[in-house]
Amino acid sequence: MDGSRFLVRYSLAAPGEEEARAVAFGICVEQTVEFPFDLVRHERIREHIVGRVESLAPAGRGRFAADISYAEETAGMELSQLLNVIFGNTSLKPGIRVESFEPTAALAARFQGPRFGVDGLRGLTRTAAAPRPLICSAVKPMGLSVTELASLASDFAAGGVDLVKDDHGLADQAFSPFRERVAACADAIREANATAGTCCLYAPNVTADGEEEVLRRAVFARDRGAGALVISPGLAGWSSLRRLAASEEARLPVLMHPALLGGFTAAPRSGLAHGVLYGTLARLLGADASIFPSHGGRFPFSRRDCRAIAKGCSEAKCPWRPILPAPGGGITLERMPELIRFYGTDVLFLMGGGLFRHPRGLVAGCRAFRRSVGG
Amino acid sequence: MDGSRFLVRYSLAAPGEEEARAVAFGICVEQTVEFPFDLVRHERIREHIVGRVESLAPAGRGRFAADISYAEETAGMELSQLLNVIFGNTSLKPGIRVESFEPTAALAARFQGPRFGVDGLRGLTRTAAAPRPLICSAVKPMGLSVTELASLASDFAAGGVDLVKDDHGLADQAFSPFRERVAACADAIREANATAGTCCLYAPNVTADGEEEVLRRAVFARDRGAGALVISPGLAGWSSLRRLAASEEARLPVLMHPALLGGFTAAPRSGLAHGVLYGTLARLLGADASIFPSHGGRFPFSRRDCRAIAKGCSEAKCPWRPILPAPGGGITLERMPELIRFYGTDVLFLMGGGLFRHPRGLVAGCRAFRRSVGG
């Protein structure tokens, strides 16, 4: 027992400090022994295994911030159990939110984080020398044939987008089966790149039922010329994303998509803070870019939420490589100047429908998108 | 395209019917093409792939119920994509809740549901002839040695509980490694059963990082004499539970644990309805019992929430076998008469700390628990 402890900051609701201390101690017990503390007889368990309130401070009206440390061994070096100690049962209680997480050195090493991160993506998109926001669009809508999707992919690449991803709703349906779609879109983008001298990356969606199938699709995609991958961990499981990012066979940048993760941020004062879910956790899992719905579109994330995500993707105190925040969900050409001011340079913008509305067509829309980021 | 469609009922917030219709149509688009509807040119996609509002009705102050059908092919017969169509992106929007889900015949057959269900668990616990509530306790707290946990398991079995599960926080930590723990607890329960002529089932926790490791642990557990399994899909992934339940090698009843699922029910009018998450979805995934925190304990679930869960576990309109609701989270011997009136006979009660407070010790506590259900 080397005494290493990882730290979780929770915010919690309580009318005063005494009540806040009781809530914080309740978290310490719930997340570890889950057993009446007065019945825990071993001093080693009481002192070491039960979480420990390291500090407690007021954090605004009726809220407190509690820093709680947990013995590294409670997590057993497994992702699932680490998430369980951080927030398993307490996710079911109201008014408690995870505001930050700091791993031990051994946990930081165990979960290696992103393989590429910001620097890796800059290298692959040849934007390291003159960094600018990266841009991405998606082949869709679902229901189009493989040929139609590949034609869109070709137009996106010709128009100068850096990444073309599958819409996250394209899985392995009869109208565009995974393998046929990936082969056709990868070929289309390779040809467009060869013609235009560009280096657009194609990112197929490998979200599937369980890590085996996810990895099978990823390896197929890589072999057929994909340049990145998209996965929704809310659908495929946290460890599918982690395995994908760590895979020696796939070795491609991974874009994390937020499908089905809405519950974690649905109640304003419980769940996981935006910066934790789309920043720290995305980095822990190994995502190289973290997709989320930006403020001002058709989703309810606020400017503050989005700023927290961007910070979570890049802040240096997190031990894993910085990654690109990837805002989408209603971005238009008109909004690009405002959004660039807001997000800065290290960002991957996702635009879908907005590109199709350009009066001179899709390729012209992509070129305008590219010009908007100074490409 | 055979035209089969599955049905999802959403409740949504809107000031009037016109606005409600707009929100419902927004769901139809978001969950399928995720693309401006006016830009969708193929009539086949507009008519068939985009979700269809089948009915819309007022559902209380400022709320409406929208029945939306989706073409079966949008889900591609994959669990991850089915969940994506039901609630992927819409989980990120406020005020929309999934109230029910009705699969097509092909989806019902594809996701076979529970292997055991209520009848299977009654057979294994020899309670088919004279049905009564089943009772369960958990070896804990984390930090105890394998020998100490096995001793507790022995006492639970001797006291007449039907199932002994691992606490969901016992994974594969150094203080009680999975394989050693499972072997010791299974042996202890086998011996106690042999002595007392009982048929207590041991349910190890096989929550782990990804389906491969989950299945590896499950097969080990079965080979060493486990009689059931516990898994937290919020930690291990939806498809890990599904694969576990469907596995020909494991072939044991599966108890679903709610760790990290709190976000789905954290906001009262968004997320998944309690009966959907802990009932319909648990059955779809193949759980044989669905653990949740009962009303009146240390968690915020209401009587109404718990009633909805019990209904979701058993209602006949769901195509999969009925399963046992498994309330826990602060159940005491004193509350048993009230809880039996509330839940009836087809239920699995979980009691932890409460059993240890019996003045004559743990075995006496278990016997009182057993007497309380008329065993």
Side-chain angles (χ1 to χ4, degrees), chain B residues 234-285:
Chain B
L235 305 172
W238 307 110
S239 80
S240 289
L241 167 47
R242 182 179 164 233
R243 282 285 302 273
L244 184 65
S247 161
E248 286 304 321
E249 296 78 44
R251 293 188 79 87
L252 288 176
V254 175
L255 319 184
M256 170 171 133
H257 189 280
L260 209 62
L261 296 181
F264 286 108
T265 57
R269 298 190 152 187
S270 57
L272 302 175
H274 291 78
V276 171
L277 174 57
Y278 295 108
T280 318
L281 180 56
R283 289 162 79 179
L284 182 158
L285 296 173

CSV table of all heavy atoms in Angstrom, one decimal, chain B residues 234-285:
chain,number,residue,atom,x,y,z
B,234,GLY,N,-23.5,0.7,-17.1
B,234,GLY,CA,-23.0,2.1,-17.2
B,234,GLY,C,-21.5,2.2,-17.1
B,234,GLY,O,-20.9,3.1,-17.6
B,235,LEU,N,-20.9,1.2,-16.6
B,235,LEU,CA,-19.4,1.1,-16.5
B,235,LEU,C,-18.9,0.2,-17.6
B,235,LEU,O,-17.9,0.6,-18.2
B,235,LEU,CB,-19.0,0.5,-15.1
B,235,LEU,CG,-19.5,1.2,-13.9
B,235,LEU,CD1,-19.2,0.4,-12.6
B,235,LEU,CD2,-19.0,2.6,-13.8
B,236,ALA,N,-19.5,-0.9,-17.8
B,236,ALA,CA,-18.9,-1.9,-18.8
B,236,ALA,C,-19.4,-1.8,-20.2
B,236,ALA,O,-18.8,-2.4,-21.1
B,236,ALA,CB,-19.1,-3.3,-18.2
B,237,GLY,N,-20.5,-1.0,-20.4
B,237,GLY,CA,-21.1,-0.9,-21.7
B,237,GLY,C,-22.3,-1.7,-21.9
B,237,GLY,O,-22.4,-2.8,-21.3
B,238,TRP,N,-23.3,-1.2,-22.6
B,238,TRP,CA,-24.5,-1.9,-22.9
B,238,TRP,C,-24.3,-3.2,-23.5
B,238,TRP,O,-24.9,-4.2,-23.1
B,238,TRP,CB,-25.4,-1.1,-23.8
B,238,TRP,CG,-25.7,0.3,-23.4
B,238,TRP,CD1,-25.2,1.5,-24.0
B,238,TRP,CD2,-26.4,0.8,-22.3
B,238,TRP,NE1,-25.6,2.6,-23.4
B,238,TRP,CE2,-26.4,2.2,-22.3
B,238,TRP,CE3,-27.2,0.2,-21.3
B,238,TRP,CZ2,-27.0,3.0,-21.4
B,238,TRP,CZ3,-27.8,1.0,-20.3
B,238,TRP,CH2,-27.7,2.4,-20.4
B,239,SER,N,-23.4,-3.3,-24.4
B,239,SER,CA,-23.3,-4.5,-25.2
B,239,SER,C,-22.5,-5.6,-24.4
B,239,SER,O,-22.7,-6.8,-24.7
B,239,SER,CB,-22.6,-4.3,-26.5
B,239,SER,OG,-21.2,-4.2,-26.4
B,240,SER,N,-21.8,-5.2,-23.3
B,240,SER,CA,-21.2,-6.2,-22.5
B,240,SER,C,-22.3,-6.9,-21.7
B,240,SER,O,-22.2,-8.2,-21.6
B,240,SER,CB,-20.2,-5.5,-21.5
B,240,SER,OG,-19.1,-5.1,-22.1
B,241,LEU,N,-23.3,-6.2,-21.3
B,241,LEU,CA,-24.4,-6.9,-20.6
B,241,LEU,C,-25.1,-7.8,-21.6
B,241,LEU,O,-25.4,-9.0,-21.3
B,241,LEU,CB,-25.3,-5.9,-20.0
B,241,LEU,CG,-26.7,-6.4,-19.5
B,241,LEU,CD1,-26.7,-7.6,-18.7
B,241,LEU,CD2,-27.4,-5.3,-18.7
B,242,ARG,N,-25.3,-7.3,-22.7
B,242,ARG,CA,-26.1,-8.1,-23.7
B,242,ARG,C,-25.3,-9.4,-24.1
B,242,ARG,O,-25.9,-10.5,-24.1
B,242,ARG,CB,-26.3,-7.3,-25.0
B,242,ARG,CG,-27.1,-8.1,-26.0
B,242,ARG,CD,-27.4,-7.3,-27.3
B,242,ARG,NE,-27.9,-8.3,-28.2
B,242,ARG,CZ,-27.4,-8.5,-29.4
B,242,ARG,NH1,-26.4,-7.6,-29.8
B,242,ARG,NH2,-27.8,-9.4,-30.2
B,243,ARG,N,-24.0,-9.2,-24.3
B,243,ARG,CA,-23.2,-10.4,-24.7
B,243,ARG,C,-23.2,-11.4,-23.5
B,243,ARG,O,-23.2,-12.6,-23.7
B,243,ARG,CB,-21.8,-9.9,-25.0
B,243,ARG,CG,-21.6,-9.3,-26.4
B,243,ARG,CD,-21.6,-10.4,-27.5
B,243,ARG,NE,-20.6,-11.4,-27.3
B,243,ARG,CZ,-19.4,-11.3,-27.8
B,243,ARG,NH1,-19.0,-10.3,-28.4
B,243,ARG,NH2,-18.5,-12.3,-27.6
B,244,LEU,N,-23.1,-10.9,-22.3
B,244,LEU,CA,-23.0,-11.7,-21.1
B,244,LEU,C,-24.3,-12.5,-21.0
B,244,LEU,O,-24.3,-13.8,-20.8
B,244,LEU,CB,-22.8,-10.9,-19.9
B,244,LEU,CG,-22.7,-11.6,-18.6
B,244,LEU,CD1,-21.4,-12.3,-18.5
B,244,LEU,CD2,-22.7,-10.5,-17.4
B,245,ALA,N,-25.4,-11.9,-21.2
B,245,ALA,CA,-26.7,-12.5,-21.0
B,245,ALA,C,-26.9,-13.6,-22.1
B,245,ALA,O,-27.6,-14.6,-21.9
B,245,ALA,CB,-27.8,-11.5,-21.1
B,246,ALA,N,-26.4,-13.3,-23.3
B,246,ALA,CA,-26.6,-14.2,-24.5
B,246,ALA,C,-25.5,-15.3,-24.6
B,246,ALA,O,-25.7,-16.2,-25.4
B,246,ALA,CB,-26.6,-13.3,-25.8
B,247,SER,N,-24.5,-15.2,-23.7
B,247,SER,CA,-23.4,-16.1,-23.9
B,247,SER,C,-23.8,-17.5,-23.6
B,247,SER,O,-24.4,-17.9,-22.6
B,247,SER,CB,-22.3,-15.7,-22.9
B,247,SER,OG,-21.4,-16.7,-22.7
B,248,GLU,N,-23.3,-18.4,-24.5
B,248,GLU,CA,-23.6,-19.8,-24.4
B,248,GLU,C,-22.6,-20.4,-23.3
B,248,GLU,O,-22.9,-21.5,-22.7
B,248,GLU,CB,-23.4,-20.6,-25.7
B,248,GLU,CG,-24.6,-20.3,-26.7
B,248,GLU,CD,-25.9,-20.7,-26.1
B,248,GLU,OE1,-26.1,-21.7,-25.4
B,248,GLU,OE2,-26.9,-19.9,-26.3
B,249,GLU,N,-21.5,-19.8,-23.1
B,249,GLU,CA,-20.5,-20.3,-22.2
B,249,GLU,C,-20.9,-20.0,-20.8
B,249,GLU,O,-20.7,-20.7,-19.8
B,249,GLU,CB,-19.1,-19.7,-22.5
B,249,GLU,CG,-18.5,-20.1,-23.8
B,249,GLU,CD,-19.1,-19.3,-24.9
B,249,GLU,OE1,-19.3,-18.1,-24.8
B,249,GLU,OE2,-19.5,-19.9,-26.0
B,250,ALA,N,-21.4,-18.8,-20.6
B,250,ALA,CA,-21.7,-18.3,-19.2
B,250,ALA,C,-23.1,-19.0,-18.7
B,250,ALA,O,-23.1,-19.6,-17.7
B,250,ALA,CB,-21.8,-16.8,-19.1
B,251,ARG,N,-24.1,-18.7,-19.5
B,251,ARG,CA,-25.4,-19.3,-19.2
B,251,ARG,C,-25.8,-19.2,-17.7
B,251,ARG,O,-26.2,-20.2,-17.1
B,251,ARG,CB,-25.5,-20.8,-19.5
B,251,ARG,CG,-25.4,-21.1,-21.0
B,251,ARG,CD,-25.7,-22.5,-21.3
B,251,ARG,NE,-27.1,-22.9,-21.3
B,251,ARG,CZ,-27.9,-22.8,-22.3
B,251,ARG,NH1,-27.5,-22.3,-23.5
B,251,ARG,NH2,-29.2,-23.1,-22.2
B,252,LEU,N,-25.7,-18.0,-17.1
B,252,LEU,CA,-26.1,-17.7,-15.8
B,252,LEU,C,-27.0,-16.5,-15.7
B,252,LEU,O,-26.9,-15.7,-16.6
B,252,LEU,CB,-24.9,-17.5,-14.9
B,252,LEU,CG,-24.0,-18.6,-14.6
B,252,LEU,CD1,-22.8,-18.2,-13.8
B,252,LEU,CD2,-24.7,-19.7,-13.8
B,253,PRO,N,-27.9,-16.5,-14.7
B,253,PRO,CA,-28.8,-15.3,-14.6
B,253,PRO,C,-27.9,-14.1,-14.4
B,253,PRO,O,-26.9,-14.1,-13.7
B,253,PRO,CB,-29.6,-15.6,-13.3
B,253,PRO,CG,-29.5,-17.0,-13.1
B,253,PRO,CD,-28.2,-17.5,-13.7
B,254,VAL,N,-28.3,-12.9,-14.9
B,254,VAL,CA,-27.6,-11.7,-14.8
B,254,VAL,C,-28.4,-10.6,-14.1
B,254,VAL,O,-29.5,-10.4,-14.4
B,254,VAL,CB,-27.3,-11.2,-16.3
B,254,VAL,CG1,-26.6,-9.8,-16.2
B,254,VAL,CG2,-26.4,-12.2,-17.0
B,255,LEU,N,-27.7,-10.1,-13.1
B,255,LEU,CA,-28.3,-8.9,-12.3
B,255,LEU,C,-27.7,-7.6,-12.8
B,255,LEU,O,-26.5,-7.5,-12.8
B,255,LEU,CB,-28.0,-9.1,-10.8
B,255,LEU,CG,-28.1,-10.4,-10.2
B,255,LEU,CD1,-27.9,-10.3,-8.6
B,255,LEU,CD2,-29.5,-11.0,-10.4
B,256,MET,N,-28.5,-6.7,-13.3
B,256,MET,CA,-28.0,-5.4,-13.8
B,256,MET,C,-27.9,-4.4,-12.6
B,256,MET,O,-28.9,-4.3,-11.9
B,256,MET,CB,-29.0,-4.9,-14.9
B,256,MET,CG,-28.7,-3.5,-15.3
B,256,MET,SD,-29.7,-3.1,-16.8
B,256,MET,CE,-30.4,-1.5,-16.3
B,257,HIS,N,-26.8,-3.8,-12.5
B,257,HIS,CA,-26.6,-2.8,-11.4
B,257,HIS,C,-26.5,-1.4,-12.0
B,257,HIS,O,-26.0,-1.2,-13.1
B,257,HIS,CB,-25.2,-3.1,-10.7
B,257,HIS,CG,-25.1,-2.2,-9.5
B,257,HIS,ND1,-24.7,-0.9,-9.5
B,257,HIS,CD2,-25.3,-2.5,-8.2
B,257,HIS,CE1,-24.7,-0.4,-8.3
B,257,HIS,NE2,-25.0,-1.4,-7.4
B,258,PRO,N,-27.1,-0.4,-11.3
B,258,PRO,CA,-27.3,0.9,-11.9
B,258,PRO,C,-26.1,1.9,-11.8
B,258,PRO,O,-26.3,3.1,-12.1
B,258,PRO,CB,-28.5,1.5,-11.1
B,258,PRO,CG,-28.3,0.9,-9.8
B,258,PRO,CD,-27.8,-0.5,-10.0
B,259,ALA,N,-24.9,1.5,-11.4
B,259,ALA,CA,-23.8,2.4,-11.3
B,259,ALA,C,-23.6,3.2,-12.5
B,259,ALA,O,-23.6,2.7,-13.6
B,259,ALA,CB,-22.5,1.6,-10.9
B,260,LEU,N,-23.4,4.5,-12.3
B,260,LEU,CA,-23.1,5.5,-13.4
B,260,LEU,C,-24.3,5.8,-14.3
B,260,LEU,O,-24.2,6.6,-15.2
B,260,LEU,CB,-21.9,5.2,-14.2
B,260,LEU,CG,-21.1,6.4,-14.8
B,260,LEU,CD1,-20.6,7.3,-13.7
B,260,LEU,CD2,-20.0,5.9,-15.7
B,261,LEU,N,-25.5,5.2,-14.0
B,261,LEU,CA,-26.6,5.4,-14.9
B,261,LEU,C,-27.5,6.6,-14.4
B,261,LEU,O,-28.5,6.9,-15.0
B,261,LEU,CB,-27.5,4.1,-15.0
B,261,LEU,CG,-26.8,2.9,-15.7
B,261,LEU,CD1,-27.8,1.8,-15.7
B,261,LEU,CD2,-26.4,3.3,-17.1
B,262,GLY,N,-27.1,7.2,-13.3
B,262,GLY,CA,-27.9,8.2,-12.7
B,262,GLY,C,-28.3,9.4,-13.6
B,262,GLY,O,-29.4,9.9,-13.5
B,263,GLY,N,-27.5,9.7,-14.5
B,263,GLY,CA,-27.8,10.8,-15.4
B,263,GLY,C,-29.0,10.7,-16.2
B,263,GLY,O,-29.7,11.6,-16.5
B,264,PHE,N,-29.3,9.4,-16.5
B,264,PHE,CA,-30.5,9.2,-17.4
B,264,PHE,C,-31.8,9.6,-16.7
B,264,PHE,O,-32.8,9.8,-17.3
B,264,PHE,CB,-30.6,7.7,-17.8
B,264,PHE,CG,-29.6,7.4,-18.9
B,264,PHE,CD1,-28.5,6.6,-18.6
B,264,PHE,CD2,-29.7,7.8,-20.2
B,264,PHE,CE1,-27.6,6.3,-19.5
B,264,PHE,CE2,-28.8,7.6,-21.1
B,264,PHE,CZ,-27.7,6.8,-20.8
B,265,THR,N,-31.8,9.6,-15.3
B,265,THR,CA,-33.0,10.0,-14.6
B,265,THR,C,-32.8,11.2,-13.7
B,265,THR,O,-33.7,11.5,-12.9
B,265,THR,CB,-33.5,8.8,-13.7
B,265,THR,OG1,-32.4,8.4,-12.8
B,265,THR,CG2,-33.9,7.6,-14.5
B,266,ALA,N,-31.7,11.9,-13.9
B,266,ALA,CA,-31.4,13.0,-13.0
B,266,ALA,C,-32.3,14.2,-13.2
B,266,ALA,O,-32.6,14.9,-12.3
B,266,ALA,CB,-29.9,13.4,-13.2
B,267,ALA,N,-32.6,14.5,-14.4
B,267,ALA,CA,-33.5,15.7,-14.7
B,267,ALA,C,-34.9,15.1,-14.9
B,267,ALA,O,-35.1,14.2,-15.6
B,267,ALA,CB,-33.1,16.4,-16.0
B,268,PRO,N,-35.9,15.6,-14.1
B,268,PRO,CA,-37.2,15.0,-14.0
B,268,PRO,C,-37.9,14.8,-15.3
B,268,PRO,O,-38.7,13.9,-15.5
B,268,PRO,CB,-38.0,15.8,-13.0
B,268,PRO,CG,-37.2,17.1,-12.9
B,268,PRO,CD,-35.8,16.8,-13.3
B,269,ARG,N,-37.7,15.7,-16.3
B,269,ARG,CA,-38.4,15.6,-17.5
B,269,ARG,C,-37.6,15.4,-18.8
B,269,ARG,O,-38.0,15.7,-19.9
B,269,ARG,CB,-39.3,16.9,-17.6
B,269,ARG,CG,-40.2,17.0,-16.5
B,269,ARG,CD,-41.3,18.0,-16.6
B,269,ARG,NE,-42.4,17.6,-15.8
B,269,ARG,CZ,-43.6,18.3,-15.9
B,269,ARG,NH1,-43.7,19.3,-16.6
B,269,ARG,NH2,-44.6,17.8,-15.2
B,270,SER,N,-36.4,14.9,-18.5
B,270,SER,CA,-35.6,14.5,-19.7
B,270,SER,C,-35.0,13.1,-19.4
B,270,SER,O,-35.4,12.5,-18.4
B,270,SER,CB,-34.6,15.5,-20.1
B,270,SER,OG,-33.7,15.8,-19.1
B,271,GLY,N,-34.2,12.6,-20.3
B,271,GLY,CA,-33.6,11.3,-20.1
B,271,GLY,C,-34.5,10.2,-20.4
B,271,GLY,O,-35.3,10.3,-21.3
B,272,LEU,N,-34.3,9.0,-19.8
B,272,LEU,CA,-35.1,7.9,-20.0
B,272,LEU,C,-36.0,7.7,-18.8
B,272,LEU,O,-35.6,7.8,-17.6
B,272,LEU,CB,-34.2,6.6,-20.1
B,272,LEU,CG,-33.2,6.6,-21.2
B,272,LEU,CD1,-32.3,5.3,-21.1
B,272,LEU,CD2,-33.8,6.7,-22.6
B,273,ALA,N,-37.3,7.4,-19.0
B,273,ALA,CA,-38.2,7.2,-17.9
B,273,ALA,C,-37.7,6.0,-17.1
B,273,ALA,O,-37.0,5.1,-17.7
B,273,ALA,CB,-39.6,6.9,-18.4
B,274,HIS,N,-37.9,6.0,-15.8
B,274,HIS,CA,-37.4,4.9,-14.9
B,274,HIS,C,-37.8,3.5,-15.5
B,274,HIS,O,-37.0,2.6,-15.4
B,274,HIS,CB,-38.0,5.1,-13.5
B,274,HIS,CG,-37.4,6.3,-12.8
B,274,HIS,ND1,-37.8,7.6,-13.1
B,274,HIS,CD2,-36.4,6.4,-11.9
B,274,HIS,CE1,-37.1,8.4,-12.3
B,274,HIS,NE2,-36.2,7.7,-11.6
B,275,GLY,N,-39.1,3.4,-15.9
B,275,GLY,CA,-39.6,2.1,-16.4
B,275,GLY,C,-38.9,1.7,-17.7
B,275,GLY,O,-38.8,0.5,-17.9
B,276,VAL,N,-38.4,2.6,-18.4
B,276,VAL,CA,-37.7,2.3,-19.7
B,276,VAL,C,-36.3,1.8,-19.4
B,276,VAL,O,-35.9,0.7,-19.8
B,276,VAL,CB,-37.7,3.5,-20.6
B,276,VAL,CG1,-36.7,3.2,-21.8
B,276,VAL,CG2,-39.1,3.8,-21.1
B,277,LEU,N,-35.6,2.6,-18.6
B,277,LEU,CA,-34.2,2.3,-18.3
B,277,LEU,C,-34.1,1.0,-17.5
B,277,LEU,O,-33.3,0.1,-17.9
B,277,LEU,CB,-33.5,3.4,-17.5
B,277,LEU,CG,-32.1,3.2,-17.0
B,277,LEU,CD1,-31.2,2.9,-18.1
B,277,LEU,CD2,-31.6,4.5,-16.3
B,278,TYR,N,-34.8,0.9,-16.4
B,278,TYR,CA,-34.6,-0.3,-15.5
B,278,TYR,C,-35.6,-1.4,-15.8
B,278,TYR,O,-35.6,-2.4,-15.2
B,278,TYR,CB,-34.8,0.2,-14.0
B,278,TYR,CG,-33.7,1.2,-13.6
B,278,TYR,CD1,-34.0,2.5,-13.4
B,278,TYR,CD2,-32.4,0.7,-13.4
B,278,TYR,CE1,-32.9,3.4,-13.1
B,278,TYR,CE2,-31.4,1.6,-13.1
B,278,TYR,CZ,-31.7,2.9,-12.9
B,278,TYR,OH,-30.6,3.8,-12.6
B,279,GLY,N,-36.5,-1.2,-16.8
B,279,GLY,CA,-37.5,-2.2,-17.1
B,279,GLY,C,-37.2,-2.6,-18.6
B,279,GLY,O,-36.5,-3.6,-18.8
B,280,THR,N,-37.8,-1.9,-19.5
B,280,THR,CA,-37.8,-2.3,-20.9
B,280,THR,C,-36.3,-2.5,-21.4
B,280,THR,O,-36.0,-3.5,-22.0
B,280,THR,CB,-38.4,-1.2,-21.8
B,280,THR,OG1,-39.6,-0.7,-21.2
B,280,THR,CG2,-38.7,-1.8,-23.2
B,281,LEU,N,-35.4,-1.5,-21.1
B,281,LEU,CA,-34.1,-1.6,-21.6
B,281,LEU,C,-33.3,-2.8,-20.9
B,281,LEU,O,-32.6,-3.5,-21.6
B,281,LEU,CB,-33.3,-0.3,-21.5
B,281,LEU,CG,-31.9,-0.3,-21.9
B,281,LEU,CD1,-31.7,-0.7,-23.4
B,281,LEU,CD2,-31.3,1.1,-21.7
B,282,ALA,N,-33.5,-2.9,-19.6
B,282,ALA,CA,-32.9,-4.0,-18.9
B,282,ALA,C,-33.3,-5.4,-19.5
B,282,ALA,O,-32.5,-6.3,-19.7
B,282,ALA,CB,-33.3,-4.0,-17.4
B,283,ARG,N,-34.6,-5.5,-19.9
B,283,ARG,CA,-35.1,-6.7,-20.5
B,283,ARG,C,-34.5,-6.9,-22.0
B,283,ARG,O,-34.1,-8.0,-22.4
B,283,ARG,CB,-36.6,-6.7,-20.6
B,283,ARG,CG,-37.2,-6.9,-19.2
B,283,ARG,CD,-38.7,-6.5,-19.1
B,283,ARG,NE,-39.6,-7.5,-19.7
B,283,ARG,CZ,-40.9,-7.4,-19.7
B,283,ARG,NH1,-41.5,-6.3,-19.2
B,283,ARG,NH2,-41.7,-8.3,-20.2
B,284,LEU,N,-34.5,-5.8,-22.7
B,284,LEU,CA,-33.9,-5.9,-24.0
B,284,LEU,C,-32.4,-6.4,-23.9
B,284,LEU,O,-32.0,-7.2,-24.7
B,284,LEU,CB,-33.9,-4.5,-24.7
B,284,LEU,CG,-33.4,-4.3,-26.1
B,284,LEU,CD1,-34.0,-3.0,-26.7
B,284,LEU,CD2,-31.9,-4.2,-26.2
B,285,LEU,N,-31.7,-5.9,-23.0
B,285,LEU,CA,-30.3,-6.2,-22.8
B,285,LEU,C,-30.1,-7.7,-22.4
B,285,LEU,O,-29.0,-8.3,-22.6
B,285,LEU,CB,-29.6,-5.3,-21.9
B,285,LEU,CG,-29.5,-3.8,-22.3
B,285,LEU,CD1,-28.9,-2.9,-21.2
B,285,LEU,CD2,-28.6,-3.6,-23.6
